[in-house]
């Protein structure tokens, strides 16, 4: 998606071979009009997928997920990151380990907000190793619902997330795909390039 690529070229900062900072419009300061445009693009892309709910993982996925839900006219649900297991039976939980941040948490969803008929679109800001998205897929599976599509703002195509999700049978659409990062260097891949890692 040209709009996102242009913004990353203008404001993104590649710190090294693995980390891209996009604090000025996604992760710290958020540009609402821009998020609305990204949400409209996701909604257009997934309009024929029978989506009943948009899911995201707190926190940076919330803004684009909300805009996508608005344009699809469906509810948005935030998967919470809890530090420990909740023992009551009214939640689904699964453990996620982030390689990028070296942390782990219990991804948590209250059972009231999902049913087996749901067709879920998962929206998230970054796709790196695919831990978070794979975990969201496990939670949705526990509920007997369908993860009908995954929409990502920035895919780091040199990491294994995309391939892992596709191998698990999930459909992934990324608005920007990054083939290589180095200090001061950001190289994009075309939308239809095969998953590399
Ligand atoms: P994975 O789910 O694809 O395996 O990703 P990973 O665990 O490696 O990354 C975990 C966190 O790090 C996520 O944020 C993700 O958005 C963020 N992240 C990964 N790579 C980059 C990067 O190159 N740049 C930036 N800015 N963030 C990156 P999170 O912990 O869920 O935090 P939040 O921002 O959503 O609150």
């Amino acid at each position: 998606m040209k709009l996102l690529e242009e913004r990353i070229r203008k404001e993104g900062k590649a710190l090294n071979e693995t980390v891209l900072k996009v604090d000025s419009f996604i992760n710290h300061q958020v540009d609402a009009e821009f998020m609305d445009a990204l949400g409209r693009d996701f909604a257009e892309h997934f309009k024929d997928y029978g989506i009943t709910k948009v899911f995201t993982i707190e926190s940076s996925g919330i803004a684009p997920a909300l805009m996508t839900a608005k344009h699809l006219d469906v509810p948005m649900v935030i998967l919470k990151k809890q530090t420990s297991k909740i023992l009551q039976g009214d939640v689904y939980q699964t453990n996620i380990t982030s390689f990028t941040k070296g942390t782990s948490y219990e991804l948590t969803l209250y059972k009231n907000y999902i049913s087996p008929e749901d067709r879920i679109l998962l929206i998230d800001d970054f796709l790196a190793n695919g831990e978070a998205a794979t975990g969201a897929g496990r939670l949705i599976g526990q509920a007997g619902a369908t993860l009908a599509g995954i929409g990502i703002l920035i895919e780091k195509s040199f990491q294994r997330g995309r391939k892992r999700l596709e191998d698990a049978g999930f459909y992934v659409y990324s608005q920007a795909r990054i083939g290589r990062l180095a200090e001061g260097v950001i190289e994009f891949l075309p939308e239809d390039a095969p998953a590399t890692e």
Side-chain angles (χ1 to χ4, degrees):
M1 189 212 185
K2 284 280 159 284
L3 192 66
L4 181 54
E5 285 186 12
E6 278 165 18
R7 191 75 181 252
I8 294 170
R9 275 205 184 89
K10 215 164 108 202
E11 294 185 35
K13 290 190 179 58
L15 296 190
N16 49 42
E17 284 75 25
T18 49
V19 178
L20 175 69
K21 293 292 269 187
V22 284
D23 280 356
S24 66
F25 62 107
I26 295 177
N27 289 133
H28 203 15
Q29 173 172 267
V30 180
D31 179 336
E33 281 303 323
F34 185 70
M35 287 298 158
D36 187 63
L38 300 187
R40 193 177 304 117
D41 179 69
F42 279 133
E44 175 61 27
H45 192 91
F46 287 103
K47 67 176 189 294
D48 298 325
Y49 283 66
I51 302 300
T52 59
K53 281 183 181 163
V54 174
F55 276 24
T56 192
I57 300 166
E58 60 178 345
S59 60
S60 298
I62 294 174
L66 183 65
M67 295 303 177
T68 306
K70 180 184 92 163
H71 288 290
L72 284 172
D73 197 19
V74 298
M76 191 261 297
V77 174
I78 303 164
L79 301 178
K80 308 272 192 176
K81 295 172 180 167
Q82 304 277 0
T83 48
S84 58
K85 282 216 174 283
I86 295 175
L87 295 174
Q88 298 96 304
D90 54 353
V91 296
Y92 298 112
Q93 283 192 311
T94 190
N95 190 268
I96 310 280
T97 300
S98 161
F99 294 103
T100 305
K101 297 198 170 171
T103 52
S104 93
Y105 57 86
E106 296 291 331
L107 193 66
T108 302
L109 167 65
Y110 277 80
K111 290 183 177 174
N112 313 1
Y113 302 119
I114 192 165
S115 64
E117 300 74 43
D118 275 324
R119 291 180 57 78
I120 310 290
L121 170 60
L122 177 71
I123 299 288
D124 212 354
D125 57 337
F126 272 93
L127 176 59
N129 294 297
E131 276 299 311
T134 305
R138 279 198 301 277
L139 279 193
I140 291 164
Q142 282 175 37
T146 304
L147 179 51
I150 299 172
I152 299 290
L153 272 63
I154 304 175
E155 170 190 317
K156 295 193 293 182
S157 308
F158 53 88
Q159 294 185 287
R160 66 193 183 108
R162 170 78 176 236
K163 178 145 193 336
R164 192 171 164 197
L165 293 172
E166 288 185 347
D167 287 349
F170 298 123
Y171 171 71
V172 181
Y173 164 58
S174 302
Q175 291 178 325
R177 301 185 68 197
I178 294 181
R180 191 171 83 90
L181 285 177
E183 198 183 331
V185 177
I186 305 171
E187 287 177 8
F188 293 95
L189 285 182
E191 191 184 316
D192 57 358
T196 45
E197 257 294 304

